[in-house]
Structure formats: C-alpha cells, structure tokens
Amino acid sequence: MLDRDGILSTLKRWYDGFRFSPREESVYNPVSIGAFFRSGGIFSNYWFETGTPKVLTKTMQQIQITLDDVRDPIISRDTFSVFDITEFAFSSDGMKNSNAKRIIGKQKFLQLLYQTGYMTLGDVPEDGLSDSYYPMRFPNKEVRDMMLEEMHNTNGEYY
C-alpha cells in the first residue's frame, strides 16, 4: 500500500502533465482525477474511457503517423497561430467530404493531438529551443499508454 507521498507521486505520473504554455506549470486531468476518487483510488486509464475519437485513429492511418512522429516531436509555434478546426472536418471514415481536398499533414496532426489533449507542450530550456519551436510530449502515463496502444492497434507498431 502506498503512503501519502507515494500516492501523490503516482497521481502526478498518471494524471498530471497538461500544459498550455511552454514554461508554465502543468495541470492534472480533472476527468481522470474525479474518476480516480470515485473508484476508491484505483489507478486506471479513465480519460480514454470517455471515448477515443475515431477521426484521430483514421487520420493516423491515412497520413501514416509512426511512433517516430510522436516520439519527442518539435512543432513550430506558427502551426498554433493558424489553427483552423475546419481543416480537421473529417467524417468518421477519415475522409473529407467529396468536394473538399485532403489537407492534413503531420505537423497539423500533432497540432490536433495538442488541441485534443493527447499531446502537450514539453519543457523548453532557457538556453534551448527558441520561442519559435515547441517540443511536444505525451502529458502523462495515462495518455501515453493508451495512445501508444491505439497506434499499435492502428499501425501494428510498438513503442
């Protein structure tokens, strides 16, 4: 049985890590924290149980996202400044409607993973990357484990 410090560090590893700005504190996933306490303190992948967007898995397949693409990627800040949700208006089969062109690339897909909470901004060292580029990462164990499992189910790859 974990003591208080053990519970807090395990909660942090499982459910903390979402960040909205590169040098700011991270936040816990409120859905998962609430489910953790409702379950009587059982660590599990609660957030993924709320539903895996099929558009993400279909798009991963369509544009051939690999594990290398999500392993510590770096994304341009400009990618965030031009975010347009209508670019991601795929139907459940991962295709846009017939009179629209397919337009999503890997950088845009990483942006979509950020916007949907599957990836977050990583640490930006003071003497490291410029403010024009952001390292990305999975926010926590819960999301990383389930996203990698989904990638394996979609692409047959292991992390």
Side-chain angles (χ1 to χ4, degrees), residues 56-143:
L56 291 179
T57 56
K58 294 291 185 179
T59 304
M60 275 192 300
Q61 225 170 9
Q62 180 185 3
I63 64 172
Q64 301 174 345
I65 292 292
T66 67
L67 292 173
D68 287 337
D69 295 321
V70 296
R71 191 178 288 131
D72 302 320
I74 295 174
I75 191 167
S76 165
R77 185 176 77 181
D78 294 340
T79 304
F80 291 101
S81 64
V82 293
F83 182 78
D84 181 358
I85 194 65
T86 61
E87 293 178 12
F88 304 104
F90 290 94
S91 66
S92 63
D93 66 357
M95 305 291 288
K96 288 191 92 173
N97 63 35
S98 60
N99 59 2
K101 61 181 181 174
R102 292 188 205 178
I103 47 117
I104 186 169
K106 290 182 181 183
Q107 284 283 302
K108 285 288 187 179
F109 185 71
L110 290 171
Q111 180 188 24
L112 180 61
L113 289 177
Y114 171 76
Q115 295 292 339
T116 56
Y118 290 89
M119 292 202 90
T120 193
L121 300 175
D123 294 323
V124 178
E126 292 297 325
D127 60 347
L129 295 171
S130 73
D131 286 334
S132 299
Y133 295 93
Y134 298 140
M136 303 290 287
R137 63 176 173 76
F138 293 112
N140 53 46
K141 176 180 175 33
E142 175 187 38
V143 174

Coordinates of all heavy atoms in Angstrom, one line a residue, residues 56-143:
L56 N -9.1 10.7 -35.0 CA -7.7 10.6 -34.8 C -7.1 9.3 -35.3 O -6.0 9.3 -36.0 CB -7.4 10.7 -33.3 CG -7.7 12.1 -32.7 CD1 -7.4 12.0 -31.2 CD2 -6.9 13.2 -33.3
T57 N -7.7 8.2 -35.0 CA -7.1 6.9 -35.4 C -7.2 6.8 -37.0 O -6.3 6.3 -37.6 CB -7.8 5.7 -34.7 OG1 -9.2 5.8 -34.9 CG2 -7.5 5.8 -33.2
K58 N -8.3 7.2 -37.5 CA -8.4 7.1 -39.0 C -7.4 8.0 -39.7 O -6.8 7.7 -40.7 CB -9.8 7.5 -39.5 CG -10.9 6.5 -39.0 CD -10.7 5.2 -39.7 CE -11.9 4.3 -39.4 NZ -11.8 3.0 -40.0
T59 N -7.2 9.2 -39.1 CA -6.2 10.1 -39.7 C -4.8 9.6 -39.5 O -4.0 9.8 -40.4 CB -6.4 11.6 -39.1 OG1 -7.7 12.0 -39.3 CG2 -5.5 12.6 -39.8
M60 N -4.5 9.0 -38.4 CA -3.2 8.4 -38.2 C -2.9 7.4 -39.2 O -1.8 7.4 -39.8 CB -3.1 7.7 -36.8 CG -2.8 8.6 -35.7 SD -2.3 7.7 -34.1 CE -3.8 6.8 -33.8
Q61 N -3.9 6.6 -39.6 CA -3.7 5.6 -40.6 C -3.6 6.2 -42.0 O -2.7 5.9 -42.7 CB -5.0 4.7 -40.6 CG -4.7 3.3 -40.7 CD -6.0 2.5 -40.5 OE1 -7.1 3.0 -40.4 NE2 -5.8 1.2 -40.4
Q62 N -4.4 7.2 -42.2 CA -4.4 7.9 -43.6 C -3.1 8.6 -43.9 O -2.6 8.5 -45.0 CB -5.5 8.9 -43.6 CG -5.7 9.6 -44.9 CD -6.7 10.7 -44.9 OE1 -7.4 10.9 -43.9 NE2 -6.9 11.3 -46.0
I63 N -2.5 9.3 -42.9 CA -1.3 10.0 -43.2 C -0.1 9.3 -42.7 O 1.0 9.8 -42.7 CB -1.3 11.5 -42.6 CG1 -1.4 11.5 -41.1 CG2 -2.5 12.2 -43.3 CD1 -1.3 12.9 -40.5
Q64 N -0.3 8.1 -42.2 CA 0.8 7.2 -41.9 C 1.7 7.7 -40.7 O 2.9 7.8 -40.9 CB 1.7 6.8 -43.1 CG 0.8 6.1 -44.1 CD 1.6 5.9 -45.4 OE1 2.7 6.4 -45.7 NE2 1.0 5.0 -46.3
I65 N 1.0 8.1 -39.6 CA 1.8 8.5 -38.4 C 2.5 7.3 -37.8 O 1.9 6.3 -37.6 CB 0.8 9.2 -37.4 CG1 0.2 10.5 -37.9 CG2 1.5 9.4 -36.1 CD1 1.2 11.6 -38.1
T66 N 3.7 7.5 -37.6 CA 4.5 6.4 -37.0 C 4.9 6.8 -35.5 O 4.8 7.9 -35.1 CB 5.8 6.1 -37.8 OG1 6.7 7.3 -37.7 CG2 5.5 5.8 -39.2
L67 N 5.5 5.8 -34.8 CA 6.0 6.1 -33.5 C 7.0 7.2 -33.5 O 7.1 8.0 -32.6 CB 6.5 4.9 -32.8 CG 5.4 3.8 -32.5 CD1 6.0 2.5 -32.0 CD2 4.4 4.4 -31.5
D68 N 7.9 7.2 -34.5 CA 8.9 8.2 -34.6 C 8.3 9.6 -34.7 O 8.9 10.6 -34.3 CB 9.8 8.0 -35.8 CG 10.8 6.8 -35.6 OD1 11.1 6.5 -34.4 OD2 11.2 6.3 -36.6
D69 N 7.1 9.7 -35.3 CA 6.4 11.0 -35.5 C 6.0 11.6 -34.1 O 5.8 12.8 -33.9 CB 5.2 10.9 -36.4 CG 5.6 10.6 -37.8 OD1 6.7 11.1 -38.3 OD2 4.9 9.8 -38.5
V70 N 5.7 10.7 -33.2 CA 5.2 11.2 -31.9 C 6.2 11.0 -30.7 O 5.9 11.3 -29.6 CB 3.9 10.4 -31.5 CG1 2.8 10.8 -32.4 CG2 4.1 9.0 -31.3
R71 N 7.4 10.6 -31.0 CA 8.4 10.4 -30.1 C 9.2 11.7 -30.0 O 10.0 12.0 -30.8 CB 9.4 9.3 -30.4 CG 10.3 8.9 -29.4 CD 11.2 7.7 -29.8 NE 10.4 6.5 -29.8 CZ 10.3 5.6 -30.8 NH1 11.1 5.8 -31.9 NH2 9.6 4.5 -30.8
D72 N 8.9 12.6 -29.0 CA 9.6 13.8 -28.8 C 9.6 14.7 -30.0 O 10.7 15.2 -30.4 CB 11.0 13.6 -28.3 CG 11.0 12.8 -27.0 OD1 10.2 13.0 -26.1 OD2 11.9 11.9 -26.8
P73 N 8.4 15.0 -30.6 CA 8.4 15.9 -31.8 C 8.6 17.3 -31.4 O 8.4 17.7 -30.3 CB 7.0 15.6 -32.4 CG 6.2 15.3 -31.2 CD 7.1 14.5 -30.3
I74 N 9.0 18.1 -32.4 CA 9.2 19.6 -32.2 C 8.2 20.2 -33.2 O 8.2 19.8 -34.4 CB 10.6 20.0 -32.4 CG1 11.5 19.4 -31.3 CG2 10.7 21.5 -32.4 CD1 13.0 19.7 -31.5
I75 N 7.5 21.2 -32.8 CA 6.5 21.8 -33.7 C 6.7 23.3 -33.7 O 7.1 23.9 -32.7 CB 5.1 21.4 -33.2 CG1 4.0 21.8 -34.2 CG2 4.7 22.0 -31.8 CD1 2.7 21.1 -34.0
S76 N 6.4 23.9 -34.8 CA 6.6 25.3 -35.0 C 5.5 26.0 -34.3 O 4.3 25.6 -34.3 CB 6.6 25.7 -36.5 OG 6.4 27.0 -36.7
R77 N 5.8 27.1 -33.6 CA 4.8 28.0 -32.9 C 3.8 28.5 -34.0 O 2.6 28.6 -33.7 CB 5.4 29.1 -32.2 CG 4.4 29.9 -31.4 CD 5.1 31.0 -30.6 NE 5.4 32.1 -31.5 CZ 6.0 33.2 -31.1 NH1 6.4 33.3 -29.8 NH2 6.3 34.1 -31.9
D78 N 4.2 28.7 -35.2 CA 3.4 29.2 -36.2 C 2.2 28.3 -36.5 O 1.1 28.7 -36.9 CB 4.1 29.5 -37.5 CG 5.1 30.6 -37.4 OD1 5.0 31.4 -36.5 OD2 6.1 30.7 -38.2
T79 N 2.5 27.0 -36.3 CA 1.4 26.0 -36.5 C 0.2 26.2 -35.6 O -0.9 26.1 -36.0 CB 2.0 24.6 -36.3 OG1 3.1 24.4 -37.1 CG2 1.0 23.5 -36.6
F80 N 0.5 26.7 -34.4 CA -0.6 27.0 -33.5 C -1.3 28.3 -33.8 O -2.5 28.4 -33.6 CB 0.0 27.1 -32.0 CG 0.4 25.8 -31.5 CD1 1.8 25.5 -31.4 CD2 -0.5 24.9 -31.0 CE1 2.2 24.3 -30.9 CE2 0.0 23.7 -30.5 CZ 1.3 23.4 -30.5
S81 N -0.6 29.3 -34.4 CA -1.3 30.5 -34.6 C -2.3 30.5 -35.8 O -3.1 31.4 -36.0 CB -0.2 31.6 -34.9 OG 0.5 31.3 -36.1
V82 N -2.2 29.4 -36.6 CA -3.1 29.3 -37.7 C -4.0 28.1 -37.6 O -4.5 27.6 -38.6 CB -2.3 29.2 -39.1 CG1 -1.6 30.5 -39.3 CG2 -1.3 28.1 -39.1
F83 N -4.3 27.7 -36.4 CA -5.2 26.5 -36.1 C -6.6 26.9 -36.6 O -7.2 27.9 -36.3 CB -5.2 26.2 -34.6 CG -6.1 25.0 -34.4 CD1 -5.6 23.7 -34.6 CD2 -7.4 25.1 -33.9 CE1 -6.4 22.6 -34.4 CE2 -8.1 24.0 -33.7 CZ -7.6 22.7 -33.9
D84 N -7.1 26.0 -37.5 CA -8.5 26.2 -38.0 C -9.1 24.8 -37.9 O -8.8 23.9 -38.7 CB -8.4 26.6 -39.4 CG -9.8 26.8 -40.1 OD1 -10.8 26.6 -39.4 OD2 -9.8 27.3 -41.2
I85 N -10.1 24.7 -37.0 CA -10.7 23.4 -36.8 C -11.4 22.8 -38.0 O -11.5 21.6 -38.2 CB -11.7 23.5 -35.6 CG1 -12.2 22.1 -35.1 CG2 -12.9 24.3 -36.0 CD1 -11.1 21.2 -34.6
T86 N -11.8 23.7 -39.0 CA -12.5 23.2 -40.2 C -11.5 22.4 -41.0 O -12.0 21.6 -41.9 CB -13.1 24.4 -41.0 OG1 -12.0 25.3 -41.4 CG2 -14.1 25.1 -40.2
E87 N -10.2 22.6 -40.8 CA -9.3 21.8 -41.6 C -9.3 20.3 -41.2 O -8.8 19.4 -41.9 CB -7.8 22.3 -41.4 CG -7.6 23.7 -42.0 CD -6.2 24.2 -41.7 OE1 -5.4 23.3 -41.2 OE2 -6.0 25.3 -41.9
F88 N -9.9 20.1 -40.0 CA -10.0 18.7 -39.5 C -11.4 18.1 -39.6 O -11.7 17.2 -38.8 CB -9.5 18.7 -38.0 CG -8.1 19.3 -37.9 CD1 -7.9 20.5 -37.4 CD2 -7.0 18.6 -38.3 CE1 -6.7 21.1 -37.3 CE2 -5.7 19.1 -38.2 CZ -5.6 20.4 -37.7
A89 N -12.2 18.6 -40.4 CA -13.6 18.2 -40.5 C -13.7 16.9 -41.3 O -14.4 16.9 -42.4 CB -14.4 19.3 -41.1
F90 N -13.1 15.9 -40.8 CA -13.2 14.6 -41.5 C -14.4 13.9 -41.0 O -14.9 14.0 -39.9 CB -12.0 13.7 -41.1 CG -10.7 14.2 -41.7 CD1 -9.8 15.0 -41.0 CD2 -10.3 13.8 -43.0 CE1 -8.7 15.5 -41.6 CE2 -9.2 14.2 -43.6 CZ -8.3 15.1 -42.9
S91 N -15.0 13.0 -41.9 CA -16.1 12.1 -41.5 C -15.5 11.0 -40.7 O -14.3 10.9 -40.6 CB -16.8 11.6 -42.7 OG -16.0 10.8 -43.4
S92 N -16.3 10.1 -40.2 CA -15.8 9.0 -39.3 C -14.9 8.0 -40.1 O -14.2 7.3 -39.5 CB -17.0 8.3 -38.7 OG -17.7 7.7 -39.7
D93 N -14.9 8.1 -41.4 CA -14.0 7.2 -42.1 C -12.7 7.9 -42.4 O -11.8 7.3 -43.1 CB -14.7 6.6 -43.4 CG -14.9 7.7 -44.4 OD1 -14.6 8.9 -44.2 OD2 -15.4 7.4 -45.5
G94 N -12.5 9.1 -41.9 CA -11.2 9.7 -42.0 C -11.0 10.5 -43.3 O -10.0 11.1 -43.6
M95 N -12.1 10.6 -44.1 CA -12.0 11.4 -45.4 C -12.9 12.6 -45.3 O -13.9 12.6 -44.6 CB -12.6 10.5 -46.5 CG -11.9 9.1 -46.6 SD -10.2 9.3 -47.2 CE -10.5 9.7 -48.8
K96 N -12.4 13.7 -45.9 CA -13.2 14.9 -46.0 C -14.4 14.6 -47.0 O -14.3 13.7 -47.8 CB -12.4 16.1 -46.5 CG -11.5 16.5 -45.4 CD -10.9 17.8 -45.7 CE -11.7 18.9 -45.1 NZ -11.2 20.2 -45.2
N97 N -15.3 15.5 -47.0 CA -16.4 15.3 -48.0 C -15.9 15.4 -49.4 O -14.8 15.9 -49.6 CB -17.6 16.3 -47.7 CG -17.1 17.7 -47.9 OD1 -16.3 18.0 -48.8 ND2 -17.7 18.6 -47.1
S98 N -16.6 14.9 -50.3 CA -16.1 14.7 -51.7 C -15.7 15.9 -52.4 O -14.9 15.9 -53.3 CB -17.2 13.9 -52.5 OG -18.4 14.7 -52.6
N99 N -16.3 17.1 -52.1 CA -15.9 18.3 -52.8 C -14.8 19.1 -52.1 O -14.5 20.2 -52.4 CB -17.1 19.2 -53.0 CG -17.8 19.6 -51.7 OD1 -17.3 19.2 -50.7 ND2 -18.9 20.3 -51.8
A100 N -14.2 18.5 -51.1 CA -13.0 19.2 -50.4 C -11.8 18.3 -50.6 O -11.8 17.1 -50.7 CB -13.3 19.3 -48.9
K101 N -10.6 19.0 -50.6 CA -9.4 18.2 -50.7 C -8.9 17.8 -49.4 O -9.2 18.3 -48.3 CB -8.4 19.1 -51.4 CG -8.0 20.4 -50.6 CD -7.0 21.2 -51.4 CE -6.7 22.4 -50.5 NZ -5.7 23.2 -51.0
R102 N -8.1 16.7 -49.4 CA -7.4 16.3 -48.2 C -6.2 17.2 -47.9 O -5.5 17.5 -48.8 CB -6.8 14.9 -48.4 CG -7.9 13.8 -48.5 CD -7.1 12.5 -48.5 NE -7.9 11.5 -49.1 CZ -7.5 10.2 -49.3 NH1 -6.4 9.9 -48.9 NH2 -8.3 9.4 -49.9
I103 N -6.1 17.7 -46.7 CA -5.1 18.7 -46.5 C -4.3 18.5 -45.2 O -3.4 19.3 -44.9 CB -5.8 20.1 -46.4 CG1 -7.0 20.1 -45.5 CG2 -6.1 20.6 -47.8 CD1 -6.9 20.9 -44.4
I104 N -4.5 17.5 -44.4 CA -3.8 17.4 -43.2 C -2.4 16.8 -43.3 O -2.3 15.7 -43.9 CB -4.6 16.7 -42.1 CG1 -4.0 16.8 -40.7 CG2 -5.0 15.3 -42.5 CD1 -4.9 16.4 -39.6
G105 N -1.4 17.4 -42.8 CA 0.0 16.8 -42.8 C 0.4 16.5 -41.3 O -0.4 16.7 -40.4
K106 N 1.6 16.0 -41.2 CA 2.0 15.5 -39.8 C 2.1 16.7 -38.8 O 1.7 16.5 -37.7 CB 3.3 14.8 -40.0 CG 3.1 13.4 -40.7 CD 4.3 12.6 -40.8 CE 4.0 11.3 -41.5 NZ 5.1 10.4 -41.7
Q107 N 2.6 17.8 -39.2 CA 2.6 18.9 -38.2 C 1.2 19.3 -37.8 O 1.0 19.6 -36.6 CB 3.3 20.2 -38.9 CG 4.8 20.0 -38.9 CD 5.5 20.2 -37.6 OE1 5.3 21.3 -36.9 NE2 6.2 19.2 -37.1
K108 N 0.3 19.4 -38.7 CA -1.1 19.7 -38.4 C -1.7 18.6 -37.5 O -2.5 18.9 -36.6 CB -2.0 19.9 -39.6 CG -1.7 21.2 -40.4 CD -2.3 22.3 -39.6 CE -2.2 23.6 -40.4 NZ -2.8 24.7 -39.7
F109 N -1.3 17.4 -37.8 CA -1.9 16.3 -36.9 C -1.3 16.4 -35.5 O -2.1 16.2 -34.5 CB -1.5 14.9 -37.5 CG -2.1 13.8 -36.7 CD1 -3.5 13.6 -36.8 CD2 -1.4 13.0 -35.9 CE1 -4.1 12.6 -36.1 CE2 -1.9 12.0 -35.2 CZ -3.3 11.7 -35.3
L110 N 0.0 16.8 -35.3 CA 0.5 17.0 -34.0 C -0.2 18.1 -33.3 O -0.5 18.1 -32.1 CB 2.0 17.3 -34.1 CG 2.9 16.1 -34.5 CD1 4.3 16.6 -34.7 CD2 2.9 15.0 -33.4
Q111 N -0.6 19.1 -34.1 CA -1.4 20.2 -33.5 C -2.7 19.8 -33.1 O -3.2 20.1 -32.0 CB -1.5 21.3 -34.6 CG -2.3 22.5 -34.1 CD -2.6 23.5 -35.2 OE1 -2.6 23.1 -36.4 NE2 -2.9 24.7 -34.9
L112 N -3.3 18.9 -33.8 CA -4.6 18.3 -33.5 C -4.5 17.5 -32.2 O -5.4 17.5 -31.3 CB -5.2 17.5 -34.6 CG -6.6 16.8 -34.4 CD1 -7.6 17.9 -34.1 CD2 -6.9 16.0 -35.5
L113 N -3.4 16.7 -32.1 CA -3.2 16.0 -30.8 C -3.1 16.9 -29.6 O -3.5 16.6 -28.6 CB -2.0 15.1 -31.0 CG -2.1 13.9 -31.9 CD1 -0.7 13.1 -32.0 CD2 -3.2 12.9 -31.5
Y114 N -2.4 18.0 -29.8 CA -2.3 19.0 -28.7 C -3.7 19.6 -28.4 O -4.1 19.6 -27.2 CB -1.4 20.1 -29.1 CG -1.4 21.3 -28.2 CD1 -0.8 21.2 -26.9 CD2 -2.1 22.5 -28.5 CE1 -0.8 22.2 -26.0 CE2 -2.1 23.5 -27.6 CZ -1.4 23.4 -26.4 OH -1.5 24.4 -25.5
Q115 N -4.5 20.0 -29.4 CA -5.8 20.6 -29.2 C -6.8 19.6 -28.5 O -7.7 20.1 -27.8 CB -6.4 21.1 -30.5 CG -5.6 22.2 -31.2 CD -5.6 23.5 -30.4 OE1 -6.5 23.7 -29.6 NE2 -4.7 24.4 -30.6
T116 N -6.6 18.3 -28.7 CA -7.5 17.3 -28.1 C -6.9 16.7 -26.9 O -7.6 15.9 -26.3 CB -7.8 16.2 -29.2 OG1 -6.5 15.6 -29.6 CG2 -8.6 16.7 -30.4
G117 N -5.7 17.2 -26.4 CA -5.2 16.7 -25.1 C -4.4 15.5 -25.2 O -4.0 15.0 -24.1
Y118 N -4.1 14.9 -26.4 CA -3.3 13.7 -26.5 C -1.8 14.0 -26.4 O -1.0 13.1 -26.2 CB -3.6 12.9 -27.7 CG -5.0 12.3 -27.6 CD1 -6.1 13.0 -28.1 CD2 -5.2 11.0 -27.1 CE1 -7.4 12.4 -28.0 CE2 -6.4 10.5 -27.0 CZ -7.5 11.2 -27.4 OH -8.8 10.6 -27.3
M119 N -1.4 15.2 -26.7 CA 0.0 15.7 -26.6 C -0.1 17.1 -25.9 O -1.1 17.8 -25.9 CB 0.7 15.8 -27.9 CG 0.9 14.4 -28.5 SD 2.2 14.4 -29.7 CE 3.6 14.0 -28.7
T120 N 1.0 17.4 -25.3 CA 1.1 18.7 -24.6 C 2.5 19.3 -24.9 O 3.3 18.7 -25.5 CB 0.9 18.6 -23.1 OG1 0.7 19.9 -22.6 CG2 2.0 17.9 -22.4
L121 N 2.7 20.5 -24.5 CA 4.0 21.2 -24.7 C 5.0 20.6 -23.7 O 4.7 20.5 -22.6 CB 3.8 22.7 -24.5 CG 2.8 23.4 -25.4 CD1 2.7 24.9 -25.1 CD2 3.3 23.3 -26.9
G122 N 6.2 20.3 -24.2 CA 7.2 19.8 -23.4 C 8.0 21.0 -22.7 O 7.6 22.1 -22.8
D123 N 9.1 20.6 -22.1 CA 9.9 21.6 -21.4 C 10.8 22.3 -22.4 O 11.3 21.7 -23.3 CB 10.8 20.9 -20.4 CG 10.0 20.3 -19.2 OD1 9.0 20.9 -18.8 OD2 10.4 19.2 -18.7
V124 N 10.8 23.6 -22.3 CA 11.7 24.4 -23.2 C 12.8 25.0 -22.3 O 12.5 25.9 -21.5 CB 10.9 25.6 -23.8 CG1 11.8 26.4 -24.7 CG2 9.7 25.0 -24.7
P125 N 14.0 24.5 -22.4 CA 15.1 25.0 -21.6 C 15.4 26.5 -22.0 O 15.2 26.9 -23.1 CB 16.3 24.1 -21.9 CG 15.9 23.4 -23.2 CD 14.4 23.4 -23.3
E126 N 15.8 27.2 -21.0 CA 16.1 28.6 -21.2 C 17.1 28.8 -22.3 O 17.1 29.8 -23.1 CB 16.6 29.3 -19.9 CG 15.6 29.4 -18.9 CD 14.4 30.3 -19.3 OE1 14.6 31.3 -20.0 OE2 13.3 30.0 -18.9
D127 N 18.1 27.9 -22.4 CA 19.2 28.1 -23.4 C 18.9 27.1 -24.6 O 19.8 26.9 -25.4 CB 20.5 27.8 -22.8 CG 20.7 26.4 -22.2 OD1 19.6 25.7 -22.1 OD2 21.8 26.0 -21.9
G128 N 17.8 26.5 -24.7 CA 17.5 25.5 -25.7 C 16.8 26.1 -26.9 O 17.2 27.1 -27.5
L129 N 15.7 25.5 -27.3 CA 14.9 25.9 -28.5 C 14.5 27.4 -28.4 O 14.3 27.9 -27.3 CB 13.7 25.0 -28.6 CG 13.9 23.6 -28.9 CD1 12.6 22.8 -28.8 CD2 14.5 23.4 -30.3
S130 N 14.3 28.0 -29.5 CA 13.8 29.4 -29.4 C 12.3 29.3 -29.1 O 11.7 28.3 -29.1 CB 14.1 30.0 -30.8 OG 13.2 29.5 -31.8
D131 N 11.8 30.5 -28.9 CA 10.3 30.6 -28.7 C 9.5 30.3 -29.9 O 8.3 30.3 -29.9 CB 10.0 31.9 -28.1 CG 10.4 32.1 -26.6 OD1 10.5 31.0 -26.0 OD2 10.6 33.2 -26.2
S132 N 10.2 30.0 -31.1 CA 9.5 29.7 -32.3 C 9.2 28.3 -32.5 O 8.4 27.9 -33.3 CB 10.4 30.2 -33.5 OG 10.6 31.6 -33.4
Y133 N 9.8 27.4 -31.6 CA 9.6 26.0 -31.7 C 9.3 25.4 -30.3 O 9.8 25.9 -29.3 CB 10.8 25.3 -32.3 CG 11.0 25.7 -33.7 CD1 11.9 26.7 -34.0 CD2 10.4 25.0 -34.8 CE1 12.1 27.1 -35.3 CE2 10.6 25.4 -36.1 CZ 11.5 26.4 -36.4 OH 11.7 26.8 -37.7
Y134 N 8.3 24.5 -30.3 CA 8.0 23.8 -29.0 C 8.2 22.3 -29.1 O 7.7 21.7 -30.0 CB 6.5 24.1 -28.7 CG 6.1 25.5 -28.6 CD1 4.9 25.9 -29.1 CD2 6.9 26.4 -27.9 CE1 4.4 27.2 -28.9 CE2 6.4 27.7 -27.7 CZ 5.2 28.1 -28.2 OH 4.8 29.4 -28.1
P135 N 8.9 21.8 -28.1 CA 8.9 20.3 -28.0 C 7.5 19.8 -27.6 O 6.8 20.5 -26.8 CB 10.0 20.0 -27.0 CG 10.0 21.3 -26.1 CD 9.6 22.4 -27.0
M136 N 7.1 18.7 -28.1 CA 5.8 18.1 -27.7 C 6.1 16.8 -26.9 O 7.1 16.2 -27.1 CB 5.0 17.8 -28.9 CG 4.7 19.0 -29.8 SD 3.6 20.2 -29.1 CE 2.1 19.3 -29.2
R137 N 5.1 16.4 -26.2 CA 5.2 15.1 -25.5 C 3.9 14.6 -25.0 O 2.9 15.4 -25.0 CB 6.2 15.2 -24.2 CG 5.6 16.2 -23.2 CD 6.5 16.2 -21.9 NE 6.1 17.2 -21.0 CZ 5.0 17.1 -20.2 NH1 4.2 16.1 -20.2 NH2 4.7 18.1 -19.3
F138 N 3.8 13.4 -24.7 CA 2.5 12.9 -24.1 C 2.5 13.5 -22.7 O 3.5 13.6 -22.0 CB 2.5 11.4 -24.0 CG 2.4 10.7 -25.4 CD1 3.5 10.0 -25.9 CD2 1.3 10.9 -26.2 CE1 3.4 9.4 -27.1 CE2 1.2 10.3 -27.4 CZ 2.2 9.6 -27.9
P139 N 1.3 13.9 -22.2 CA 1.2 14.6 -20.9 C 1.5 13.7 -19.7 O 2.0 14.2 -18.7 CB -0.2 15.2 -20.9 CG -0.9 14.4 -21.9 CD 0.0 13.9 -22.9
N140 N 1.1 12.4 -19.8 CA 1.3 11.6 -18.6 C 1.2 10.1 -19.0 O 0.9 9.8 -20.2 CB 0.2 11.9 -17.6 CG -1.2 12.0 -18.2 OD1 -1.6 11.1 -18.9 ND2 -2.0 13.0 -17.9
K141 N 1.3 9.3 -18.1 CA 1.3 7.8 -18.3 C -0.1 7.4 -18.9 O -0.1 6.5 -19.8 CB 1.5 7.1 -17.0 CG 1.4 5.6 -17.1 CD 1.7 4.9 -15.7 CE 1.5 3.4 -15.7 NZ 1.8 2.7 -16.9
E142 N -1.1 7.9 -18.3 CA -2.5 7.5 -18.8 C -2.6 7.7 -20.3 O -3.0 6.8 -21.0 CB -3.5 8.3 -18.0 CG -4.9 8.1 -18.5 CD -5.9 9.0 -17.9 OE1 -5.6 10.2 -17.7 OE2 -7.0 8.6 -17.6
V143 N -2.3 8.9 -20.8 CA -2.5 9.2 -22.2 C -1.4 8.5 -23.0 O -1.7 8.0 -24.1 CB -2.4 10.7 -22.4 CG1 -2.5 11.1 -23.9 CG2 -3.6 11.4 -21.7

